Structures are given as structure tokens and as C-alpha cells.
Amino acid sequence: MKIKLNDKELEISHSITLEELLLKEINLSPDKKGVAVAVNDNIIPKNDWKNLKINDKDEILVIIAAQGG
């Protein structure tokens, strides 16, 4: 199945959860603070990452807050 992660097309061979995808593709732990994730323009709370299955043609946007100025 094909998905988009931050506008980058990826081919995924099987259904995985959002949490598994984030760990595998961008090494993002659910414990990291300052992270927002949207799937198909819907913000997904961190508590739901482990249960949300990724589907074909899903578009995932990950935003990580950065300090500085």
C-alpha cells in the first residue's frame, strides 16, 4: 500500500499502526514531547497512536516543535 508521510511517498507492505510507522520511518517515540500528528487532516492524540491502523493512501503529517529563535 502507498501512503504519504510529510509529503514523501512511501510503500508499506502490510498494515501497521501509526505508532509503528513513526518509530520505523522517522525514529519518533510516542514519549517525545512537542509532537503533533495528523492523518488525513485529523489530529491524532498520542494515546491513539498505538491503535490507529494506517490505510492505503493515508496522508500523515508530523510536526515537531523546535526551540530557538
Side-chain angles (χ1 to χ4, degrees), residues 15-18 20 39 48-49 51-55 58:
S15 182
I16 61 174
T17 65
L18 177 59
E20 292 168 330
V39 177
D48 294 340
W49 290 8
N51 297 318
L52 182 74
K53 291 285 187 182
I54 299 301
N55 297 303
D58 276 349

Side-chain angles (χ1 to χ4, degrees), residues 45-63:
K46 280 188 181 183
N47 292 339
D48 294 340
W49 290 8
K50 63 182 169 279
N51 297 318
L52 182 74
K53 291 285 187 182
I54 299 301
N55 297 303
D56 190 38
K57 298 182 182 164
D58 276 349
E59 293 188 20
I60 299 127
L61 176 65
V62 179
I63 299 171

Side-chain angles (χ1 to χ4, degrees), residues 1-67:
M1 74 181 167
K2 291 183 181 182
I3 64 165
K4 279 191 180 179
L5 177 59
N6 287 351
D7 290 326
K8 177 183 170 188
E9 286 197 10
L10 296 175
E11 183 92 25
I12 307 257
S13 60
H14 64 283
S15 182
I16 61 174
T17 65
L18 177 59
E19 184 175 273
E20 292 168 330
L21 175 74
L22 296 175
L23 281 169
K24 178 182 174 188
E25 295 297 328
I26 58 175
N27 198 26
L28 180 66
S29 167
D31 299 328
K32 184 165 176 74
K33 296 195 184 298
V35 176
V37 178
V39 177
N40 301 323
D41 296 325
N42 295 307
I43 295 179
I44 309 299
K46 280 188 181 183
N47 292 339
D48 294 340
W49 290 8
K50 63 182 169 279
N51 297 318
L52 182 74
K53 291 285 187 182
I54 299 301
N55 297 303
D56 190 38
K57 298 182 182 164
D58 276 349
E59 293 188 20
I60 299 127
L61 176 65
V62 179
I63 299 171
I64 302 172
Q67 277 185 290

